[in-house]
Structure formats: structure tokens, C-alpha cells
Amino acid sequence: MLLLQRLFRKKEADPRDALRPLYAQIVATARQPHWFVEGKVADTIEGRFEMVATILSLVLLRLEDDAEQVGSTALLIELFVEDMDPQLREVGIGDMIVGKHMGRLVGALGGRLRAYRDALSVSDRAAALGAALVRNLYAGVEPAPEALSHVRDGALDFVDRLTAMDAETILAGGIG
């Protein structure tokens, strides 16, 4: 009888489903070619991860401004983890250590959140964000000034666009 109940019970909706369009837009924004061409972000697995982590961080920071969105930010991070897990397996990380790597990735995201939050909270946010991008996105290797300017200014424009949007628009995936 229990088996039949499980088979015919209505499946509960995944609360992350409503945020999948937003996460898809975050990834699409992070994969725009200009970051890698004009911005000279490394077009590698690490570089692409860093771009997704950067754009995701900026969206999460905007949603932090709205106390009602705490649950949404947690669900977005879950979508990030859900996305990264098969990516790790694809590059050969085995089941035995994938959890350890996922912990590192989530820790790295937390570090990006702190760095970008701190950078965006000071009066000279352009200089502070530029320094944070060099440390994180460029792994400590300063790119050509025009490349750094391109990414920094693009990120600041993105932050300004997010700031002008209401949370509902963002959550619906309207960041593109």
C-alpha cells in the first residue's frame, strides 16, 4: 500500500524551479564573450567558474538588500551547487571526493561575496572592486589596464542595473 501511495501521490514542486530562469540568466551573463575577449578573463574551467561566481555574487548581494529574499538567496546557491556538481564529475572528479570539492566551491563563492560586498561598500568602489577582481577573477595576476577596466566597469554597470530593479523582476530572471 505504501508503494502505491508513493507512486500516485502528487509530487511536490521544487521551490528552486521558480529561480531556474534567473540562474540561467546569471550563467548566460557570465558566459558573454566580451568578458573573455575584451576583459581577458581566462577562457578555462576556472575562468568560467570565476565569472559565474562573480555574476552570481553580484545578484546575491543585491538580493541581500531585501530581507524577504533570504530564502531565495539560499535556493540560488543550491542551484549553483546543483550546476557545479556534474561539471566537476565531467572533468574527472570522482564520487568519493566530489563533496570535498563542492565544499571548496561554496567556500570560494562565500569569499567572493565578502570581497565584492566590501568593495561595493566603500566610497571608491571602482578601485576597490578592481582590486577584488584582480584577487579573485584574475587569480592575483593583474591583467592589462584596459581589460580590468572593461570587467570592472561592466560589473559596476550590472550592479547599477540590479539596484534599479525590484526583487521580483530579478527573481523572475529579468536581469538579461
Side-chain angles (χ1 to χ4, degrees):
M1 185 69 153
L2 208 51
L3 175 64
L4 289 175
Q5 287 174 336
R6 278 192 301 198
L7 287 173
F8 294 107
R9 174 178 35 167
K10 283 188 177 179
K11 189 175 181 182
E12 292 183 30
D14 184 342
R16 298 175 297 184
D17 287 347
L19 295 172
R20 289 185 195 283
L22 171 57
Y23 188 75
Q25 281 298 312
I26 289 168
V27 172
T29 300
R31 291 191 176 161
Q32 290 175 350
H34 70 92
W35 302 117
F36 304 95
V37 177
E38 290 90 349
K40 305 296 184 209
V41 173
D43 193 8
T44 61
I45 291 170
E46 293 83 9
R48 290 187 295 272
F49 165 80
E50 289 296 344
M51 264 323 301
V52 170
T54 297
I55 298 300
L56 176 59
S57 294
L58 298 177
V59 170
L60 290 170
L61 291 173
R62 165 55 186 87
L63 292 174
E64 272 183 1
D65 292 341
D66 189 337
E68 294 178 17
Q69 300 309 326
V70 172
S72 297
T73 59
L75 293 172
L76 270 175
I77 293 169
E78 286 181 20
L79 287 173
F80 170 75
V81 168
E82 180 183 275
D83 182 32
M84 293 297 120
D85 181 88
Q87 311 257 354
L88 286 173
R89 294 173 194 279
E90 188 174 300
V91 296
I93 306 295
D95 287 341
M96 298 298 287
I97 59 172
V98 78
K100 181 187 278 188
H101 284 277
M102 289 307 301
R104 287 185 192 145
L105 292 178
V106 172
L109 178 63
R112 295 341 174 245
L113 280 165
R114 278 188 302 280
Y116 300 142
R117 181 185 300 112
D118 292 347
L120 294 171
S121 69
V122 299
S123 59
D124 189 1
R125 67 183 195 157
L129 183 60
L133 289 168
V134 169
R135 279 191 317 276
N136 295 294
L137 186 62
Y138 293 104
V141 178
E142 190 151 343
E146 59 275 1
L148 180 57
S149 293
H150 177 82
V151 173
R152 181 198 61 223
D153 295 347
L156 288 171
D157 287 345
F158 184 66
V159 167
D160 291 342
R161 285 196 324 270
L162 290 172
T163 301
M165 292 180 197
D166 59 58
E168 290 76 28
T169 300
I170 294 169
L171 293 171
I175 65 169

